[in-house]
Amino acid sequence: MDKKSKIVLIIFSLVVVGIIVAEIVRPKPINWRPSYTASSKIPFGCYVLYNELSTIFNGSDIDTVEESVYDVLVDRDKSIESNYIFINEYINLDKQETNQMLDYVSDGNTIFISATGFGNYLSDTLNISIESDYNLKEGSTKLSLTHKELKSKKFDLSRGIYNSHFTSVDSTNTTILGHITYLKEDFIDAKPAQKFRRANFIKTKFGKGHFILNTTPQAYSNFYMLKGNQEYVSHTFSYLKDKEILYWDNYKKAGRVIINSPMRFVLNQPALKWSYYLMISGVLLFVFFKSKREQRIIPVIEPLKNSSVEFAQAVGSLYNQNKDFTDLINKKLNYFLEHVRSHFHIDTSKLNDKTIQVLAAKSGKGIEETKNLIDYIIKLKNKATHTEQDSIELNKKITAFKQ
């Protein structure tokens, strides 16, 4: 390698190393996707809030739920009162889960949900509806509470807010606990921004317990907990009475890691999981020892193909396409007579009775069969033109004679 090539190679290597180092040390972009899981430290995770639960609810045992709400509530001890907290972008509850939650609250427990939607079954049962009023301009949203000691406090929200609010509630069983106030501009008609104040925080009685519902889950995220709005969270949680157990839902989360593999059920069952692992280990051991005991596969060598048959077929096809049966019959006669000369050592320049007798004796064929063949050959030699039927008949007689 010459000196110039070495310099180019060194420069190229330095550039590649520089790119790799730059990618490693450059700051990672902020992940603004909603997560709301207890372990998520991104802006819209709930790591800060989860770690403050023991301080806010110092009289309750925190039980982090990693399974469906149905599985938790169907096996609960009904003699123990508890609270259940759900925080997520959207809470999708099926009919069975909703029925269990309704029974749970009816027994005197409390469920706190902060989401932009609560599922059709729960919304229909509680007779509530929610809408979101999106705005291109952020930074104009404020939250407030209706409690007489907190009316004057406003909590600013600057990013990621959908301005979700209740459009209808069951007034006989519902108490409005807070509002969301936001500005909305009409960019099409260029009208001045309008100010809206809507309910976003309510308390609904159901049986002996209550549902406490909030449509602004972003307020409970890391971003706003560290931006000075932690008071809003503590004030909203103050409507939850201290009970023996506080369930924190970590299952119905947008950021929850979900295994979509078809093996999910097998891996979730201890017996099936260990059977699967043992089977895989056994197969690997079998393959390992089997490969040590057996020799390498001997490759199959294909024999050389005899192309003479294909060549004859190709030539025959050409003659058949041209329909020159006279030329084809002449060649067949020449090949047959050459066969007689080379195998039986008989002169075929003149075909007569002597030729017939000698050929019949040496070939083992009958006089009559041999005579028919030789007479047919003489007949064809005397014809000026031939037909396809002549060619077929000649081929049959020659084939029968050679057998």
Side-chain angles (χ1 to χ4, degrees):
M1 185 182 293
D2 58 10
K3 184 176 180 181
K4 184 177 180 181
S5 300
K6 290 182 179 179
I7 294 174
V8 172
L9 183 61
I10 292 172
I11 294 174
F12 178 76
S13 301
L14 291 175
V15 170
V16 172
V17 171
I19 293 173
I20 295 173
V21 172
E23 287 293 322
I24 294 174
V25 300
R26 75 183 181 92
K28 294 182 179 180
I30 298 175
N31 183 2
W32 290 99
R33 290 185 298 108
S35 170
Y36 300 105
T37 56
S39 60
S40 180
K41 297 181 180 181
I42 62 176
F44 289 118
C46 279
Y47 176 81
V48 176
L49 174 59
Y50 178 77
N51 285 275
E52 291 296 325
L53 288 177
S54 57
T55 302
I56 300 173
F57 301 96
N58 54 13
S60 302
D61 294 331
I62 310 299
D63 188 349
T64 305
V65 177
E66 300 286 354
E67 57 184 334
S68 170
V69 61
Y70 176 87
D71 296 330
V72 176
L73 297 183
V74 76
D75 296 328
R76 66 186 172 91
D77 185 351
K78 295 185 178 182
S79 63
I80 300 176
E81 290 189 348
S82 59
N83 296 316
Y84 211 133
I85 295 178
F86 295 84
I87 298 176
N88 192 31
E89 190 74 13
Y90 183 87
I91 304 293
N92 188 17
L93 300 166
D94 59 30
K95 190 173 183 179
Q96 288 74 23
E97 291 174 328
T98 302
N99 290 335
Q100 286 296 325
M101 293 173 66
L102 294 172
D103 292 341
Y104 172 76
V105 173
S106 183
D107 290 340
N109 302 293
T110 303
I111 288 182
F112 181 98
I113 304 178
S114 182
T116 58
F118 310 118
N120 294 330
Y121 293 108
L122 184 60
S123 298
D124 291 343
T125 303
L126 301 181
N127 196 21
I128 59 175
S129 59
I130 299 173
E131 287 185 2
S132 296
D133 204 353
Y134 300 96
N135 194 2
L136 296 177
K137 185 177 181 180
E138 294 186 314
S140 61
T141 303
K142 298 181 183 296
L143 299 179
S144 60
L145 299 170
T146 58
H147 193 277
K148 59 182 180 180
E149 295 182 3
L150 304 173
K151 280 186 176 182
S152 60
K153 292 189 176 182
K154 305 294 181 184
F155 303 93
D156 296 328
L157 304 179
S158 59
R159 183 162 187 165
I161 306 302
Y162 303 143
N163 299 325
S164 301
H165 55 273
F166 294 99
T167 56
S168 66
V169 297
D170 184 357
S171 58
T172 58
N173 296 311
T174 301
T175 303
I176 296 177
L177 303 179
H179 294 89
I180 182 171
T181 304
Y182 58 93
L183 295 176
K184 185 174 182 182
E185 297 187 41
D186 190 342
F187 293 96
I188 297 177
D189 297 331
K191 294 180 180 179
Q194 289 183 291
K195 186 175 183 180
F196 295 91
R197 184 171 180 268
R198 301 285 187 267
N200 77 313
F201 186 34
I202 63 172
K203 180 178 181 180
T204 299
K205 182 175 177 57
F206 190 86
K208 297 179 182 179
H210 295 86
F211 282 95
I212 300 178
L213 308 177
N214 188 293
T215 62
T216 315
Q218 298 85 356
Y220 300 85
S221 64
N222 299 328
F223 183 74
Y224 288 108
M225 286 288 290
L226 298 176
K227 292 276 286 185
N229 283 347
Q230 64 274 15
E231 284 188 42
Y232 179 80
V233 175
S234 62
H235 291 328
T236 56
F237 280 163
S238 65
Y239 291 97
L240 293 171
K241 296 180 181 179
D242 284 338
K243 295 182 180 179
E244 189 172 342
I245 299 176
L246 173 67
Y247 293 107
W248 167 269
D249 172 71
N250 208 42
Y251 180 79
K252 286 189 172 296
K253 301 290 186 181
R256 180 172 63 93
V257 177
I258 300 175
I259 302 175
N260 291 320
S261 169
M263 295 295 296
R264 179 180 179 183
F265 176 78
V266 173
L267 297 177
N268 283 337
Q269 306 298 320
L272 293 176
K273 179 176 70 174
W274 283 109
S275 298
Y276 175 73
Y277 289 154
L278 287 173
M279 181 188 70
I280 296 298
S281 302
V283 170
L284 293 176
L285 288 173
F286 173 79
V287 171
F288 177 76
F289 288 107
K290 189 78 171 175
S291 63
K292 292 292 184 181
R293 294 183 59 188
E294 294 191 358
Q295 68 176 11
R296 185 176 56 186
I297 298 175
I298 299 174
V300 177
I301 300 176
E302 296 287 342
L304 296 176
K305 293 184 178 180
N306 185 359
S307 59
S308 59
V309 176
E310 288 82 356
F311 175 75
Q313 291 175 345
V315 172
S317 176
L318 290 174
Y319 276 104
N320 185 59
Q321 290 177 5
N322 292 329
K323 305 296 183 182
D324 190 355
F325 299 109
T326 299
D327 187 39
L328 180 60
I329 288 175
N330 289 334
K331 283 184 169 55
K332 285 185 178 181
L333 293 176
N334 291 335
Y335 290 146
F336 176 70
L337 295 176
E338 192 280 332
H339 173 76
V340 170
R341 290 192 295 272
S342 61
H343 282 76
F344 304 113
H345 306 288
I346 299 174
D347 183 15
T348 59
S349 58
K350 292 182 179 181
L351 300 176
N352 48 34
D353 292 339
K354 183 180 179 181
T355 305
I356 295 172
Q357 292 177 357
V358 175
L359 180 59
K362 289 188 175 183
S363 64
K365 299 292 182 178
I367 293 292
E368 187 68 25
E369 182 182 356
T370 306
K371 186 177 185 303
N372 289 336
L373 175 60
I374 298 300
D375 289 344
Y376 192 71
I377 291 174
I378 296 171
K379 176 184 176 182
L380 292 177
K381 279 179 170 291
N382 294 330
K383 288 182 68 173
T385 59
H386 302 85
T387 64
E388 182 179 3
Q389 187 61 36
D390 294 335
S391 176
I392 295 173
E393 187 66 23
L394 176 63
N395 186 68
K396 287 182 179 179
K397 289 182 179 295
I398 292 175
T399 303
F401 183 82
K402 287 184 176 181
Q403 291 180 348

